[in-house]
Amino acid sequence: MFREKDAETREFLEAAKACVEICKSSGVPLLINDRVDVALACDADGVHVGQSDMPAWEVRRLLGPGKIIGVSCKTPAQAEQAWKDGADYIGCGGVFPTTTKANNPTLGFEGLRTVCLASKLPVVAIGGINAGNAGSVMELGLPNLKGVAVVSALFDRERVAAETRNLRSILMKNAYSRS
Amino acid sequence: MFREKDAETREFLEAAKACVEICKSSGVPLLINDRVDVALACDADGVHVGQSDMPAWEVRRLLGPGKIIGVSCKTPAQAEQAWKDGADYIGCGGVFPTTTKANNPTLGFEGLRTVCLASKLPVVAIGGINAGNAGSVMELGLPNLKGVAVVSALFDRERVAAETRNLRSILMKNAYSRS
């Protein structure tokens, strides 16, 4: 997901277009954080919105049926609304404390479990997840918990590519052990 | 024009929808600053973009032919580009110093005149314009200078409605004397 809270729109759009090129050539879908206009202009694969961004039903109306919409949810009620609004998945967290989002309440395993059990949509866990705890998140055994989202776990590290491979292998091992 | 640089998207959209209602009932067109997604979602009459926002041709592609697009321009080259990009008008300034936009270079009457003479589009003068100097701006006698845009001239005053009536009467007097 591409996220630029403080960039000017033109700079954000130019970076997003560059990311779309890279992702398309690798077959990786790219979602834009919050900005439906940027997603439309760069033909991204979708948009991820938080509870203080545009409502998901409005995003769906602007993007059309073919795009991916994700919604950050902390409660069963928010997960239900995201499903009603036509979202494709929800992000749930922060599971652990994180410096990426200040003042973001931590849900812990129990909060994550509660939202996963209530959600009719696939869930991606987010917030403080890294190579040291990603396995324990996936081992919660929640059928609709389909993955994790990370920022610091990769981008606060010196060797980003090596950390990415390491995290990927942990997640793939878990996926195989479940199938 | 509705402008919210620091608001969250949902808050911005809700305020924009409220403004659209008020403007529609008064027959006043409403343009949204920068955010094409907000303009689409609230069905505003158009969007105004600066040089670091989305390029006007991209805004036109997203909004379609029926909406109004304005572009802030400081130079003849920018005015030419706005016309090529399919904009409907340009904003030109800051004509005078203003506290609304910090670090914004002041063009003065000469800069405004240069841009107006080069522009194939109607021009709205902006930047430090108020009841005390609006007349002198319009009296420059530039045929495509069609109006002024103000923020502080009204909203830094205690009696906003009275100031608005006063400024309007100055501008209308000038419009009549030119026709």
Side-chain angles (χ1 to χ4, degrees):
Chain A
M1 191 191 348
F2 190 54
R3 181 184 168 89
E4 281 286 355
K5 275 287 179 200
D6 298 318
E8 299 273 12
T9 299
R10 184 166 303 192
E11 194 187 352
F12 187 176
L13 178 56
E14 281 167 11
K17 284 182 173 180
C19 286
V20 162
E21 285 309 303
I22 294 166
C23 287
K24 283 214 165 120
S25 68
S26 308
V28 172
L30 178 73
L31 271 66
I32 302 292
N33 192 67
D34 177 19
R35 293 292 298 263
V36 175
D37 48 357
V38 171
L40 287 168
C42 73
D43 194 26
D45 299 281
V47 168
H48 186 95
V49 286
Q51 295 292 326
S52 58
D53 296 331
M54 197 177 283
W57 64 265
E58 194 112 55
V59 179
R60 177 61 73 200
R61 193 170 65 84
L62 297 181
L63 290 184
K67 299 290 186 180
I68 303 165
I69 298 175
V71 181
S72 299
C73 297
K74 287 185 175 300
T75 66
Q78 290 173 352
E80 176 76 7
Q81 190 62 48
W83 174 73
K84 283 184 186 163
D85 282 356
D88 296 293
Y89 75 92
I90 66 169
C92 182
V95 179
F96 305 108
T98 171
T99 53
T100 308
K101 278 200 157 187
N103 307 320
N104 190 35
T106 299
L107 297 182
F109 283 160
E110 273 320 297
L112 176 62
R113 190 195 306 274
T114 303
V115 173
C116 284
L117 293 177
S119 175
K120 299 185 181 77
L121 296 171
V123 182
V124 174
I126 188 167
I129 296 171
N130 55 42
N133 59 29
S136 66
V137 172
M138 298 313 293
E139 284 160 15
L140 289 172
L142 298 158
N144 61 342
L145 180 57
K146 298 298 186 186
V148 301
V150 298
V151 180
S152 319
L154 303 180
F155 295 104
D156 279 2
R157 300 307 182 96
E158 296 227 341
R159 298 169 62 233
V160 174
E163 283 298 332
T164 307
R165 278 190 292 271
N166 181 34
L167 183 59
R168 184 172 189 274
S169 79
I170 291 166
L171 293 169
M172 293 308 283
K173 201 170 81 178
N174 187 280
Y176 286 126
S177 73
R178 290 168 80 184
S179 63
Chain B
M1 192 194 346
F2 190 54
R3 181 186 170 89
E4 281 289 352
K5 276 291 179 197
D6 298 317
E8 299 272 13
T9 300
R10 184 166 303 193
E11 194 187 352
F12 188 176
L13 178 56
E14 280 167 12
K17 284 181 173 180
C19 286
V20 162
E21 285 308 304
I22 294 166
C23 288
K24 282 212 166 120
S25 68
S26 309
V28 172
L30 178 74
L31 272 67
I32 301 293
N33 192 67
D34 177 20
R35 293 292 297 263
V36 175
D37 49 357
V38 171
L40 287 168
C42 73
D43 193 27
D45 299 281
V47 169
H48 185 96
V49 287
Q51 295 293 323
S52 58
D53 296 332
M54 197 177 283
W57 64 266
E58 195 111 55
V59 179
R60 178 60 72 200
R61 192 169 66 83
L62 297 181
L63 288 185
K67 297 291 186 179
I68 303 166
I69 298 175
V71 181
S72 298
C73 297
K74 287 185 174 303
T75 67
Q78 289 174 352
E80 177 76 8
Q81 189 62 49
W83 173 73
K84 284 184 185 162
D85 283 355
D88 296 294
Y89 76 89
I90 66 168
C92 182
V95 178
F96 305 108
T98 171
T99 53
T100 309
K101 278 200 155 186
N103 308 318
N104 190 34
T106 300
L107 298 182
F109 283 160
E110 274 321 296
L112 176 62
R113 189 196 306 274
T114 303
V115 172
C116 283
L117 293 175
S119 174
K120 298 185 182 76
L121 296 170
V123 182
V124 173
I126 187 166
I129 296 170
N130 54 44
N133 59 29
S136 66
V137 172
M138 299 312 293
E139 282 159 19
L140 289 170
L142 298 158
N144 61 342
L145 181 56
K146 299 296 186 187
V148 301
V150 298
V151 180
S152 319
L154 303 180
F155 296 102
D156 280 2
R157 300 308 183 93
E158 296 227 343
R159 297 170 61 234
V160 174
E163 283 297 333
T164 307
R165 279 190 291 270
N166 180 35
L167 183 58
R168 185 172 190 274
S169 79
I170 291 166
L171 293 168
M172 293 307 283
K173 203 168 82 176
N174 188 280
Y176 287 127
S177 72
R178 290 168 80 184
S179 63

